[in-house]
């Protein structure tokens, strides 16, 4: 029996067969396409895929070099566009390439080439297919290298920039010249670059504005200082002074050229801003003023005082007077102030008054003068009248002098010059073993008497010189040797220091009736002294008498002018005791005397006259006798 066939069987078979055939066809088509793409990819191994553009330039199938050349030909003209920069009358031009704009043709070609040339083969096939079917348009871009632009603008700045020259002044001779200065200018590179960048990116050439900042000169206070300098140099300064007695002196002139040498001008910060200043230094005139000072100054004169033991009061013997000294520093300061004055340009010297220490109103209580503390008397028996007069004059020079605590007394200073102009007379003096006529014979009797009073008062002896031989005048009335004091101006002096807390007053008495000279020292008794008798050793007999001729003597007349004295070493001790009687100091005064001969003057032709002789060993200070 025959079973009927289903009609669906052949239909399914046909449908299945058709599907298989379609799949095979599609697969073959895909394989064909893939093969084609692979063939295209192999063909484009060193070329740009079809369908790729940069800007308006189609780069299909070009090598990278060809693509770069094509882009340069199409768009390279932008590198040659000129840009202009102007400042004032100066103009600079430069192509775009020199200011940093360039076409990166090689980079653009490389970007086009990498499409379809990646490491991923399937991605490359997709990229090539997309470029082939749809096309790829890469943007055209220029590169603006601002480092190049900055270098270019920096070169411009070197030509444009100029430092500001502020106002200044200078002195030319005796005139003042003002330089008003000059403005400075500076290229603002950052602002100018901003303008350049905008123009370049917009693709337009032409003029680029240069941003230049100007800085006007600062004048400070130059005008004011110039006027002060001109005033300083306008006329001489006149310096006026007076003599010590008040009489006016002709003016000294400080000329403008001298003022110019003393001027200085400088610039300095003041309160946060700069300012000129001018000053003058007149210290160059200090030596000149110091040289003038001695002739213009005067020392104060103390009153000479006298003490009355009965009333314990002082009496002024002479009036006191003030002195003055030149104030060099203040005078210079006033000169400097007058330099900038338009007035009379007159400067008066400045003097500092020097009041006396002791005047008519000084009291004994103020000075601590209460009593007699020491006295000494010597005798000048047998002295000639000139010697007596010299002793009296010298003693008067020291009467009434006050010596302050700690102060040193100088015999030569207080006595003054021993000259005929001072009133001293000629007399016989011994010089080098001969009796000669000289000025001031007898003054050593004054210094010796003063020395003995100071020694008895316990005062500190700073300088004392003995005579070269024993002088008979000083050993009268049993005084003994070893307590004489020679002076010889200006090198040999008698000095002692008031080593007590009280002032001391020196008084002298010239007693012609007694042929005596006395010095008294009034103060407050601080201690007591005792002078021991002299200790005489190594006695040397005097040489034979010496006779010398004198023109004023007649035959048979004779006049003794010096007395013989033996040589010896003499020590005299001074003992000082405090108020309780305790010995506080024992001091030896040592003197070495040479043997000395008696000297007689006789008439010329006297048989006793020897041949001329000199004594080379005589001390020079003997001349005062």
């Amino acid at each position: 029996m025959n079973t009927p066939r289903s009609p669906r069987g052949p239909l399914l078979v046909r449908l299945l067969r058709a599907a298989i055939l379609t799949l095979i066809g599609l697969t073959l088509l895909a394989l064909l396409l893939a093969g084609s793409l692979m063939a295209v990819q192999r063909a484009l191994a060193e070329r740009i895929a079809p369908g790729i553009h940069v800007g308006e330039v189609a780069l299909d199938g070009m090598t990278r070099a060809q693509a770069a050349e094509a882009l340069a030909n199409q768009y390279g003209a932008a590198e040659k566009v000129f840009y202009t920069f102007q400042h004032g009358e100066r103009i600079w031009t430069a192509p775009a390439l020199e200011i940093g704009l360039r076409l990166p043709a090689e980079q653009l070609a490389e970007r086009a080439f990498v499409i379809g040339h990646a490491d991923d083969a399937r991605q490359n096939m997709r990229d090539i297919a997309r470029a082939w079917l749809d096309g790829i348009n890469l943007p055209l871009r220029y590169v603006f290298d601002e480092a190049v632009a900055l270098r270019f603008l920096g070169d411009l700045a070197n030509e444009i920039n100029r430092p500001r020259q502020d106002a200044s002044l200078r002195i030319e001779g005796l005139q003042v010249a003002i330089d008003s200065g000059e403005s400075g200018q500076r290229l603002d590179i950052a602002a100018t670059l901003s303008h350049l960048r905008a123009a370049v990116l917009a693709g337009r050439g032409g003029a680029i504005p240069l941003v230049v900042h100007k800085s006007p000169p600062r004048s400070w206070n130059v005008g004011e200082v110039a006027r002060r300098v001109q005033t300083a140099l306008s006329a001489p300064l006149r310096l006026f002074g007076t003599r010590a007695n008040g009489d006016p002196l002709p003016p000294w002139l400080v000329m403008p050229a001298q003022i110019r040498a003393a001027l200085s001008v400088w610039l300095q910060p003041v309160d946060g801003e700069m300012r000129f200043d001018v000053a003058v230094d007149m210290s160059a005139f200090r030596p000149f003023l110091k040289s003038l000072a001695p002739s213009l100054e005067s020392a104060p004169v103390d009153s000479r005082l006298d003490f009355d033991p009965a009333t314990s009061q002082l009496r002024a013997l002479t009036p006191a007077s003030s002195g003055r000294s030149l104030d060099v520093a203040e005078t210079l300061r006033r000169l400097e102030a007058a330099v900038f004055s338009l007035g009379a340009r007159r400067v008066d010297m400045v003097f500092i008054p020097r009041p006396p220490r002791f005047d008519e109103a000084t009291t004994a209580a103020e000075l601590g003068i209460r009593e007699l503390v020491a006295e000494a008397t010597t005798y000048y028996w047998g002295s000639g009248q000139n010697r007596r007069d010299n002793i009296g004059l010298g003693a008067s020079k020291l009467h009434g002098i006050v010596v302050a605590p700690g102060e040193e007394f100088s015999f030569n200073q207080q006595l003054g010059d021993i000259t005929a102009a001072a009133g001293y007379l000629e007399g016989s003096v011994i010089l080098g073993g001969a009796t000669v006529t000289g000025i001031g014979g007898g003054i050593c009797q004054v210094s010796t008497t003063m020395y003995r009073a100071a020694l008895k008062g316990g005062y500190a002896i700073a300088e004392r010189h003995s005579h070269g031989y024993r002088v008979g005048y000083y050993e009268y009335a049993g005084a003994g040797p070893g307590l004489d004091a020679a002076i010889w101006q200006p090198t040999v002096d008698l000095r002692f220091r008031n080593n007590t807390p009280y002032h001391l007053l020196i008084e002298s008495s010239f007693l012609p009736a007694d042929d005596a000279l006395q010095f008294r020292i009034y103060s407050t008794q601080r201690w007591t002294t005792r002078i021991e008798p002299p200790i005489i050793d190594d006695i040397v007999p005097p040489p034979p008498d010496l006779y010398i001729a004198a023109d004023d003597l007649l035959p048979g007349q004779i006049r003794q002018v010096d007395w013989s004295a033996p040589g010896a070493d003499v020590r005299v001790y001074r003992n000082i005791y405090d108020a309780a009687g305790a010995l506080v100091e024992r001091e030896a005064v040592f003197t070495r005397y040479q043997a000395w001969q008696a000297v007689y003057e006789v008439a010329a032709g006297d048989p006793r006259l020897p041949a001329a002789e000199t004594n080379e060993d005589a001390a020079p200070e003997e001349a005062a006798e």
Side-chain angles (χ1 to χ4, degrees):
M1 164 173 158
N2 290 333
T3 303
R5 299 174 62 183
S6 171
R8 297 180 56 184
L11 179 61
L12 289 173
V13 171
R14 286 193 299 271
L15 290 173
L16 181 59
R17 185 182 298 119
I20 291 171
L21 290 174
T22 300
L23 179 60
I24 293 171
L26 291 173
T27 299
L28 291 173
L29 179 60
L31 291 173
L32 179 62
L33 289 173
S36 298
L37 288 174
M38 291 177 66
V40 169
Q41 187 175 14
R42 285 192 297 271
L44 296 176
E46 295 298 328
R47 296 182 180 274
I48 297 172
I52 298 177
H53 294 69
V54 173
E56 296 179 356
V57 178
L59 304 180
D60 305 47
M62 295 183 181
T63 64
R64 284 171 284 189
Q66 291 171 340
E69 182 180 2
L71 291 172
N73 291 336
Q74 181 68 26
Y75 299 111
E79 295 180 337
K80 301 176 182 178
V81 173
F82 276 86
Y83 291 82
T84 302
F85 306 85
Q86 183 172 359
H87 175 66
E89 296 181 355
R90 300 195 62 183
I91 297 175
W92 297 266
T93 59
L97 186 63
E98 290 185 14
I99 60 173
L101 179 68
R102 63 182 179 87
L103 175 70
E106 290 79 5
Q107 290 89 337
L108 292 174
E110 184 66 26
R111 288 186 61 191
F113 175 77
V114 297
I115 298 174
H117 293 82
D119 293 334
D120 188 338
R122 287 181 296 177
Q123 180 63 41
N124 287 341
M125 293 177 63
R126 289 194 293 270
D127 290 344
I128 291 173
R130 180 168 62 88
W132 195 355
L133 298 174
D134 299 329
I136 296 176
N137 196 352
L138 296 176
L140 174 66
R141 292 176 180 171
Y142 289 90
V143 173
F144 180 48
D145 190 341
E146 292 192 1
V148 176
L150 286 173
R151 286 195 295 271
F152 176 81
L153 294 179
D155 292 339
L156 289 187
N158 290 335
E159 298 186 49
I160 294 172
N161 291 355
R162 182 178 64 236
R164 176 182 60 206
Q165 299 294 328
D166 294 325
S168 62
L169 63 85
R170 62 187 181 279
I171 304 174
E172 298 176 346
L174 298 179
Q175 300 298 318
V176 182
I178 297 179
D179 187 344
S180 59
E182 183 180 4
S183 294
Q185 59 187 26
R186 178 183 62 83
L187 175 64
D188 189 334
I189 293 179
T192 302
L193 179 62
S194 178
H195 291 298
L196 179 60
R197 184 188 301 111
V200 167
L201 295 181
R204 64 177 187 272
I208 304 299
L210 291 175
V211 181
V212 178
H213 301 297
K214 291 185 176 292
S215 53
R218 293 171 291 190
S219 61
W220 316 116
N221 58 332
V222 65
E224 170 195 344
V225 171
R227 287 189 294 272
R228 283 173 56 81
V229 173
Q230 199 61 65
T231 297
L233 303 178
S234 62
L237 293 177
R238 296 182 300 160
L239 179 64
F240 287 85
T242 59
R243 293 187 174 89
N245 62 3
D247 292 342
L249 293 165
W252 289 272
L253 297 182
V254 182
M255 303 306 293
Q258 294 173 298
I259 297 173
R260 166 65 186 93
L263 283 177
S264 57
V265 180
W266 68 94
L267 190 63
Q268 64 179 356
V270 177
D271 297 332
E273 66 176 15
M274 302 298 292
R275 290 182 63 83
F276 280 101
D277 202 356
V278 59
V280 63
D281 180 4
M282 303 296 280
S283 60
F285 293 92
R286 188 183 302 277
F288 167 72
L289 291 176
K290 286 187 173 181
S291 70
L292 287 180
S295 63
L296 305 178
E297 296 177 338
S298 62
V301 177
D302 294 328
S303 285
R304 293 294 182 98
L305 304 174
D306 182 81
F307 181 72
D308 184 353
T311 62
S312 297
Q313 299 298 318
L314 294 176
R315 177 172 62 94
L317 302 175
T318 60
S321 61
S322 295
R324 69 176 190 175
S325 59
L326 179 62
D327 191 336
V328 174
E330 180 61 18
T331 300
L332 288 174
R333 192 195 66 78
R334 293 192 180 186
L335 275 173
E336 291 172 352
V339 163
F340 301 106
S341 171
L342 278 173
R345 298 179 72 78
R346 170 192 175 116
V347 177
D348 292 312
M349 291 183 180
V350 181
F351 291 93
I352 302 173
R354 298 171 58 189
R357 298 180 301 168
F358 318 115
D359 57 22
E360 296 85 341
T362 302
T363 67
E366 292 172 348
L367 302 183
I369 296 175
R370 300 192 308 175
E371 57 197 329
L372 179 69
V373 299
E375 66 177 338
T377 304
T378 63
Y379 298 90
Y380 46 89
W381 302 322
S383 294
Q385 189 57 50
N386 282 6
R387 187 175 191 274
R388 292 168 178 266
D389 291 344
N390 287 339
I391 293 172
L393 178 59
S396 69
K397 300 283 188 181
L398 306 181
H399 183 71
I401 291 174
V402 177
V403 183
E407 185 180 0
E408 187 175 85
F409 169 88
S410 166
F411 185 90
N412 281 337
Q413 179 181 347
Q414 295 294 343
L415 188 73
D417 294 335
I418 304 174
T419 62
Y424 292 97
L425 303 175
E426 290 185 346
S428 296
V429 297
I430 299 172
L431 181 61
T435 300
V436 298
T437 299
I439 298 295
I443 291 301
C444 281
Q445 180 131 9
V446 181
S447 60
T448 293
T449 311
M450 183 72 257
Y451 168 63
R452 292 180 181 181
L455 198 68
K456 290 179 181 180
Y459 298 105
I461 307 302
E463 180 181 356
R464 173 257 177 180
H465 303 271
S466 68
H467 292 80
Y469 60 92
R470 293 170 64 175
V471 179
Y473 292 119
Y474 311 141
E475 298 183 23
Y476 288 158
L483 295 181
D484 58 308
I487 65 98
W488 179 256
Q489 292 184 345
T491 56
V492 178
D493 197 5
L494 167 66
R495 298 180 296 114
F496 67 87
R497 181 172 55 86
N498 180 2
N499 53 346
T500 75
Y502 314 104
H503 291 73
L504 65 86
L505 170 64
I506 298 172
E507 290 188 4
S508 67
S509 293
F510 180 65
L511 307 169
D514 299 322
D515 287 344
L517 171 64
Q518 184 181 81
F519 275 98
R520 297 176 302 279
I521 297 178
Y522 292 96
S523 185
T524 293
Q525 192 78 49
R526 190 181 186 191
W527 43 56
T528 58
T529 62
R530 184 173 67 87
I531 307 297
E532 296 182 4
I535 301 172
I536 304 174
D537 296 317
D538 300 326
I539 298 174
V540 178
D545 296 342
L546 174 66
Y547 294 86
I548 59 177
D551 294 337
D552 61 333
L553 296 181
L554 298 175
Q557 292 180 327
I558 187 169
R559 181 168 57 219
Q560 187 172 5
V561 295
D562 210 343
W563 285 258
S564 64
D569 287 346
V570 180
R571 284 180 176 81
V572 179
Y573 285 93
R574 178 178 71 168
N575 301 311
I576 300 177
Y577 303 89
D578 62 16
L583 179 66
V584 295
E585 182 179 336
R586 177 176 170 82
E587 177 186 16
V589 179
F590 175 77
T591 306
R592 172 164 290 168
Y593 294 113
Q594 68 183 81
W596 201 255
Q597 60 198 160
V599 180
Y600 298 91
E601 292 181 336
V602 295
D606 191 287
R608 291 169 292 186
L609 289 172
E613 295 179 359
T614 58
N615 189 340
E616 298 297 339
D617 295 330
E621 58 265 26
E622 296 157 18
E625 289 304 313

